[in-house]
Amino acid sequence: MYKPLLGLCLSGKFLGIFQRIFVPLMVRVWDTQRLIHINVATHMKKISFVILTLVFNSMLSAQNDDFGKFPSENNVEKPMLTSDLLKSLNWKKLKEFSNSNQGHYAYERKDSLLTEYEYVQQGRVANFELTSFNGKVLEYHSQISNTSKETNTNYFDKEVWLEYAHKYLPNLPDSLKLTVAESKDVLKAYYELIGVGTRDEYGWICEYSTVGMATQRRQATMQLIRYQRRDLLEQVVNYPNVQVQLYITDALIYDDLQKKEYIEENLKAELTQMTEELDSLKSKKITDWRIESLNYRISDSNEYIEQLESELLSDNDWKRIYALRDSNQQVKTCKSGTGSYKTYENTTDELLSESAILEIPKRYSELESLGYFR
C-alpha cells in the first residue's frame, strides 16, 4: 500500500483534501520532474542527474532510476542557481505546508553574505539544507529515509565557496588563497581555520549547548592534520590573528610529537630488529635472498626516518613558538563544563607554557576518542 512521505491519511476526512489538493499536485510533480530533467541536462551539460524535488512527492520519484542522483562536487562550467533549485523543491509551497502542519518545519535564515533554507520532518525522516551565496547554490544536503529507497544527497560548489571565502576575507593576500584544485574538505577546513564563518575564539571542547563540542576552528585544524596538510598549516603560521596562530602552533607541536613517537617506537625499533637479523645472517656466513631483502628494507626504513625527521619542528620553529608565548598576548578562549557558552581572557604565556605543551597530545587523544578524526 502506498504511504505518502508526509504521513497524511488518505481515508476519512482527509480523502477530500487529498482529492482536491494532492492529486492535481502529483500531476504537476510528474510534469515538473520531466521539465527538471530537461533543464538540468541543458544547464549542467556533461552531468545528467535529477534534482531532488518536493519532499512529499519523493515516494513517486523513488520509482525512477534517476531519483536522488546528484554530483558531490560541481565540476561544470556554470554554477547552479538557487532560484532553480528552490523552484524544483517547490520551496514556497513547502513553507506554507510546514506552517500549517505539525511535525514539519521550514526555516529561512540570512546573514550578510549567506542565505540558508532548511526543511525538517520531525524525527529527521526527511530533511534538506541549502546554503546560497550571491544567488548560487554553495551547498545542498538532503536525506529521505522513510521511503522504499533511502536517498542521500551531498552537493558542494568549490568555485562558489572560494568566491564566498574571498568576499568574507577581502584583505586576504593572493599568496594565502587556495584554488579549486584542492579537495572540498581541505578547502573548507583551511578557510574555516582562518576565520570564514567561524567564531573568533581559542579552545578545545566548548559549551555551545547542553553537550560540549570541539570549536569549528579546532575541527578545521584536525581536518588538515587528518589530510596530512602540514604545508597549509605552515602557510598561515603567521596569520594576523592570535587565536589562529595558537590553533596552528599546537597542531604543529602535536604533529611533531606524534612523528617523534612513531619514529622511536615503531620505525627505529623495527630498524634495530632488522639490523640484528642481518648481522646474525652474516655471522653465520649465510648469503641467500634474505640478505638482499633485509638490505633493501633497512635502506627504505632509513629513508623514511630521514623524511619524517625533516618534517619535525626546527630550532627556528621553536624560537617562533617561544616568541609567541613570550609576547603574552590576550587570547579569547572558551571551555567546557561551564553550563553555558562564555568566553574568557587568557594569555599566550599560559596557553603555551611547558605544562600546557605537554597536555597537547592528551587533548588531541581525547578528541580522537570522541570521533573527531574519523
Side-chain angles (χ1 to χ4, degrees), residues 178-231:
L178 302 185
T179 69
V180 293
E182 300 288 355
S183 71
K184 176 193 77 171
D185 291 341
V186 168
L187 281 176
K188 289 198 70 177
Y190 177 83
Y191 282 100
E192 286 176 354
L193 173 59
I194 59 177
V196 173
T198 54
R199 296 175 188 257
D200 191 20
E201 63 193 3
Y202 174 82
W204 296 85
I205 298 290
C206 291
E207 205 86 6
Y208 296 117
S209 60
T210 53
V211 179
M213 63 183 294
T215 68
Q216 286 179 279
R217 291 187 187 180
R218 177 66 62 191
Q219 293 182 57
T221 305
M222 290 187 290
Q223 189 79 304
L224 293 176
I225 293 173
R226 179 169 169 261
Y227 279 89
Q228 299 182 29
R229 296 308 302 268
R230 178 195 170 110
D231 59 317

Side-chain angles (χ1 to χ4, degrees), residues 125-141:
V125 293
N127 63 279
F128 68 76
E129 295 178 36
L130 189 166
T131 303
S132 170
F133 171 72
N134 203 22
K136 291 168 283 191
V137 178
L138 194 163
E139 287 188 85
Y140 176 67
H141 306 286

Side-chain angles (χ1 to χ4, degrees), residues 119-273:
Y119 165 78
V120 180
Q121 183 179 351
Q122 191 167 337
R124 288 200 172 270
V125 293
N127 63 279
F128 68 76
E129 295 178 36
L130 189 166
T131 303
S132 170
F133 171 72
N134 203 22
K136 291 168 283 191
V137 178
L138 194 163
E139 287 188 85
Y140 176 67
H141 306 286
S142 71
Q143 72 85 27
I144 303 172
S145 58
N146 62 342
T147 67
S148 59
K149 179 181 178 182
E150 183 171 348
T151 301
N152 289 280
T153 295
N154 292 288
Y155 173 86
F156 182 84
D157 192 315
K158 294 193 284 187
E159 288 279 10
V160 177
W161 170 259
L162 288 173
E163 186 181 341
Y164 161 63
H166 298 154
K167 180 74 173 180
Y168 196 101
L169 300 173
N171 298 320
L172 187 69
D174 289 343
S175 60
L176 299 184
K177 293 178 180 178
L178 302 185
T179 69
V180 293
E182 300 288 355
S183 71
K184 176 193 77 171
D185 291 341
V186 168
L187 281 176
K188 289 198 70 177
Y190 177 83
Y191 282 100
E192 286 176 354
L193 173 59
I194 59 177
V196 173
T198 54
R199 296 175 188 257
D200 191 20
E201 63 193 3
Y202 174 82
W204 296 85
I205 298 290
C206 291
E207 205 86 6
Y208 296 117
S209 60
T210 53
V211 179
M213 63 183 294
T215 68
Q216 286 179 279
R217 291 187 187 180
R218 177 66 62 191
Q219 293 182 57
T221 305
M222 290 187 290
Q223 189 79 304
L224 293 176
I225 293 173
R226 179 169 169 261
Y227 279 89
Q228 299 182 29
R229 296 308 302 268
R230 178 195 170 110
D231 59 317
L232 294 181
L233 293 171
E234 291 179 331
Q235 180 169 299
V236 287
V237 73
N238 293 314
Y239 195 76
N241 177 291
V242 67
Q243 283 77 223
V244 173
Q245 289 180 30
L246 281 168
Y247 278 117
I248 294 169
T249 296
D250 69 45
L252 291 174
I253 291 173
Y254 174 70
D255 181 69
D256 180 83
L257 295 174
Q258 287 290 97
K259 284 176 178 172
K260 283 179 179 175
E261 181 179 329
Y262 183 69
I263 290 170
E264 292 298 324
E265 297 184 6
N266 295 83
L267 296 181
K268 286 190 175 180
E270 183 181 330
L271 183 60
T272 298
Q273 183 179 352

Side-chain angles (χ1 to χ4, degrees), residues 35-47 78:
L35 290 174
I36 287 170
H37 197 92
I38 294 170
N39 289 335
V40 166
T42 301
H43 294 293
M44 303 302 284
K45 293 185 178 179
K46 296 181 182 179
I47 299 178
K78 293 183 179 180

